[in-house]
Amino acid sequence: MTFDDGPSKNTEKVLDILDAYDAKATFFLIGSEVSEEYRETLERLIEEGHAVGLHSNVHRFEKLYVNEEACLKDYEAEYEKLKLEYGIETKMFRFPGGSACSYMNGQRKSYIQKMQENGYRCFDWNVSGEDSVGTPTVWSIQNHVFQDVFKYNEPIILLHDSKISDITVEALPGILEKLKEEGYLFKTLEEKEEYVNKLFSSIGYKKPVEVVKADNPYYYRNKVMMAFKKATDGASYLIYNYADSEGPMQFGPAYPLINGDLYQYDFDNNQM
């Protein structure tokens, strides 16, 4: 279990629930949210066997992803703050938006490499409760988790413990209960090797793809924000198609998608 965007008033509630289920988790903190107000929360978090990771100091994409050096500088600031002011030393980190964040402008590998060269370990996720987008409900958060989690022996689940994550707190007991019934154990990421999502399974190849409706489309302001394209070899790839009520917003690959149409994707040049 991993929780992003804390600490907040909800972090204590999450810790209470984790304790009740004898579950350990990793909390990716935002440096600017860490303050004296949450010192006791952070002390409790460590004392109870949970782990801390870095989730940037400012969590503002336009500042964090100016370039690789700016990104590293931001994380270094959070690292120093936690180490010097709170006695927490960690080099586990998670990019806001994940390592596939479109604000990196196609420079994903160089961002990851820059962080690795300075001793940091990146952790994406492979299961998301989608609890920070749109208008989530207890049912929707649990459903998003359950539709993907059983595909993995060691899933990394993304949830949030920010100040607006009250619904996540409500959904958490049901998630833990179900996963415990299925035999899952809950550990931190400290002993795991870094985990970076693979964007494409066949980089460098051109394959005909058929656009199909997403089983679990990503929503923002009640608009479908992404769709899947399915390759003829059975592999599934991701394509972004952002839309907003005020007009189109395009981050990363964006194409007019029509269900059933055939396209060819050039993985070398990242284009259709």
Side-chain angles (χ1 to χ4, degrees):
M1 302 293 296
T2 67
F3 295 88
D4 286 9
D5 297 357
S8 77
K9 61 181 177 63
N10 282 315
T11 305
E12 284 282 349
K13 299 174 185 177
V14 168
L15 290 173
D16 288 341
I17 296 169
L18 292 174
D19 181 60
Y21 287 89
D22 192 27
K24 306 304 178 186
T26 301
F27 291 80
F28 288 94
L29 309 179
I30 298 175
S32 59
E33 296 295 325
V34 176
S35 66
E36 194 63 27
E37 177 183 0
Y38 299 113
R39 180 176 291 276
E40 291 185 1
T41 298
L42 296 180
E43 290 175 350
R44 176 189 175 188
L45 189 155
I46 298 298
E47 288 172 0
E48 295 185 357
H50 304 290
V52 168
L54 310 174
H55 196 42
S56 81
N57 201 43
V58 297
H59 205 280
R60 293 179 61 181
F61 289 21
E62 72 279 7
K63 289 189 174 183
L64 186 63
Y65 299 126
V66 171
N67 54 46
E68 295 88 332
E69 283 294 339
C71 184
L72 174 62
K73 184 177 180 180
D74 180 276
Y75 277 98
E76 294 277 71
E78 182 181 17
Y79 171 82
E80 291 296 329
K81 178 178 182 177
L82 289 177
K83 179 181 178 181
L84 298 177
E85 299 180 25
Y86 296 88
I88 298 173
E89 188 170 4
T90 178
K91 285 213 163 183
M92 293 191 297
F93 82 98
R94 174 172 285 164
F95 288 114
S99 68
C101 181
S102 56
Y103 274 79
M104 293 181 186
N105 294 317
Q107 301 302 311
R108 175 181 189 249
K109 288 184 179 180
S110 61
Y111 274 90
I112 295 172
Q113 183 177 351
K114 173 64 73 173
M115 297 296 291
Q116 289 173 334
E117 289 173 349
N118 287 272
Y120 293 92
R121 294 190 297 141
C122 179
F123 285 92
D124 281 326
W125 59 91
N126 48 31
V127 179
S128 173
E130 299 296 304
D131 58 330
S132 67
V133 294
T135 53
T137 64
V138 169
W139 179 87
S140 73
I141 294 170
Q142 293 176 346
N143 185 57
H144 278 297
V145 171
F146 296 150
Q147 70 183 3
D148 288 327
V149 70
F150 302 116
K151 301 175 184 176
Y152 305 96
N153 290 326
E154 296 184 358
I156 299 177
I157 302 172
L158 168 65
L159 294 171
H160 294 78
D161 63 323
S162 72
K163 59 187 177 184
I164 60 171
S165 298
D166 303 81
I167 300 298
T168 302
V169 173
E170 294 182 37
L172 185 57
I175 293 172
L176 295 173
E177 186 75 37
K178 177 67 173 178
L179 295 184
K180 288 200 74 167
E181 289 175 0
E182 297 294 329
Y184 283 90
L185 302 176
F186 304 94
K187 301 180 180 181
T188 72
L189 296 176
E190 285 184 309
E191 302 304 319
K192 289 183 66 67
E193 295 182 2
E194 73 172 0
Y195 179 82
V196 179
N197 282 328
K198 295 180 180 179
L199 290 186
F200 305 110
S201 61
S202 303
I203 294 178
Y205 292 90
K206 296 181 180 180
K207 295 178 180 291
V209 296
E210 180 182 1
V211 175
V212 295
K213 183 178 180 181
D215 293 328
N216 57 335
Y218 174 86
Y219 287 94
Y220 177 66
R221 297 183 185 175
N222 297 319
K223 302 286 185 179
V224 177
M225 301 294 279
M226 75 181 187
F228 290 101
K229 55 191 181 71
K230 185 177 182 181
T232 54
D233 65 354
S236 293
Y237 304 105
L238 197 59
I239 189 165
Y240 296 90
N241 186 26
Y242 286 76
D244 186 83
S245 58
E246 299 176 357
M249 296 189 302
Q250 299 183 354
F251 301 99
Y255 305 95
L257 304 179
I258 302 174
N259 286 347
D261 276 11
L262 289 175
Y263 296 83
Q264 187 160 304
Y265 196 85
D266 183 348
F267 292 100
D268 291 318
N269 299 305
N270 196 35
Q271 63 184 13
M272 295 294 269

